[in-house]
Amino acid sequence: GAGVSQSPRYKVAKRGQDVALRCDPISGHVSLFWYQQALGQGPEFLTYFQNEAQLDKSGLPSDRFFAERPEGSVSTLKIQRTQQEDSAVYLCASSLGQNNQPQHFGDGTRLSIL
Amino acid sequence: DAKTTQPNSMESNEEEPVHLPCNHSTISGTDYIHWYRQLPSQGPEYVIHGLTSNVNNRMASLAIAEDRKSSTLILHRATLRDAAVYYCILRAYSGAGSYQLTFGKGTKLSVIP
């Protein structure tokens, strides 16, 4: 079946522009996670949704980062007034539930800020 | 999540078994041990997880020490497609409503033809 889909695959933006990254989770998956991965590092947690509720946003690095999942399926990560340090791969993952279910990852959006 | 320690890199010959170690001396009784791997230019992929007993699936085996302070991921016959970064992660309820994964730097496995 279809896995987690992220778009765009690559995004180049000028410093100061706003960007929006989309995640289509696996159908029926309740939990959705966003991670940020800098070059040569492991992914770092940004935020978590259970259905449409954003239950944990402790990993968002600043108030320029905003995520939503209004109907409990597709999610969008928005970054306002982008900075060069926002350049990274943004990964989305979904899982069936809140417990120790495996997370299924998309291939990420590579964001480059010029 | 509790901290894990893994070697930065390992090499294996193709078609030979690979044992990837992970130390987690501060593991708590409710922490599950998860392994994910990440191939180049792809998102992480779930491999296996366990709590106390050894686990087997179609991808790998997980051997957990009796005191749970260490574990080993076993690839029974390495192929070129197994070249990836392997992450050992201790996963527990965060208290904030999520089971997010806390990745370290992992072990970069190279497979030699």
Side-chain angles (χ1 to χ4, degrees):
Chain A
V4 176
S5 176
Q6 292 187 247
S7 60
R9 190 82 169 87
Y10 302 93
K11 176 71 178 177
V12 179
K14 291 183 179 177
R15 187 164 54 96
Q17 288 183 331
D18 297 348
V19 298
L21 313 179
R22 177 187 169 104
C23 173
D24 279 273
I26 294 173
S27 178
H29 277 195
V30 168
S31 297
L32 185 144
F33 301 80
W34 282 98
Y35 295 84
Q36 180 190 58
Q37 186 170 24
L39 192 63
Q41 305 295 316
E44 292 191 356
F45 170 76
L46 293 177
T47 188
Y48 161 71
F49 289 86
Q50 183 180 347
N51 295 307
E52 69 279 4
Q54 188 176 21
L55 298 185
D56 187 349
K57 51 183 181 179
S58 61
L60 295 176
S62 78
D63 59 7
R64 296 185 296 104
F65 286 71
F66 171 76
E68 60 183 6
R69 194 186 184 198
E71 297 178 359
S73 55
V74 171
S75 176
T76 304
L77 177 67
K78 297 179 180 178
I79 310 173
Q80 297 176 324
R81 305 181 303 281
T82 52
Q83 303 294 318
Q84 280 194 323
E85 62 262 28
D86 299 335
S87 296
V89 175
Y90 291 85
L91 295 160
C92 175
S94 69
S95 68
L96 274 172
Q98 191 182 352
N99 53 19
N100 263 289
Q101 298 283 345
Q103 292 185 16
H104 301 264
F105 284 80
D107 285 336
T109 294
R110 181 177 296 277
L111 176 64
S112 299
I113 305 300
L114 304 179
Chain B
D1 289 334
K3 191 177 175 65
T4 63
T5 304
Q6 299 178 253
N8 289 332
S9 62
M10 290 183 64
E11 276 188 355
S12 173
N13 293 318
E14 195 177 8
E15 299 188 4
E16 290 188 357
V18 183
H19 291 234
L20 296 161
C22 181
N23 288 320
H24 28 79
S25 58
T26 59
I27 190 171
S28 75
T30 55
D31 287 339
Y32 280 78
I33 302 160
H34 284 245
W35 284 82
Y36 282 74
R37 71 180 185 182
Q38 189 171 22
L39 279 66
S41 300
Q42 294 186 22
E45 174 187 28
Y46 167 79
V47 178
I48 200 166
H49 78 280
L51 183 62
T52 55
S53 303
N54 295 344
V55 185
N56 299 293
N57 65 21
R58 63 175 179 81
M59 289 181 69
S61 296
L62 177 59
I64 301 172
E66 201 168 325
D67 63 4
R68 301 210 324 128
K69 294 184 185 300
S70 66
S71 61
T72 302
L73 180 71
I74 302 165
L75 307 179
H76 295 287
R77 193 166 160 270
T79 68
L80 296 178
R81 198 196 169 277
D82 292 321
V85 178
Y86 286 78
Y87 297 99
C88 169
I89 299 167
L90 300 185
R91 195 172 181 204
Y93 181 65
S94 74
S98 69
Y99 282 90
Q100 74 264 32
L101 299 169
T102 302
F103 291 82
K105 290 192 174 182
T107 296
K108 184 175 182 179
L109 175 66
S110 301
V111 179
I112 302 167

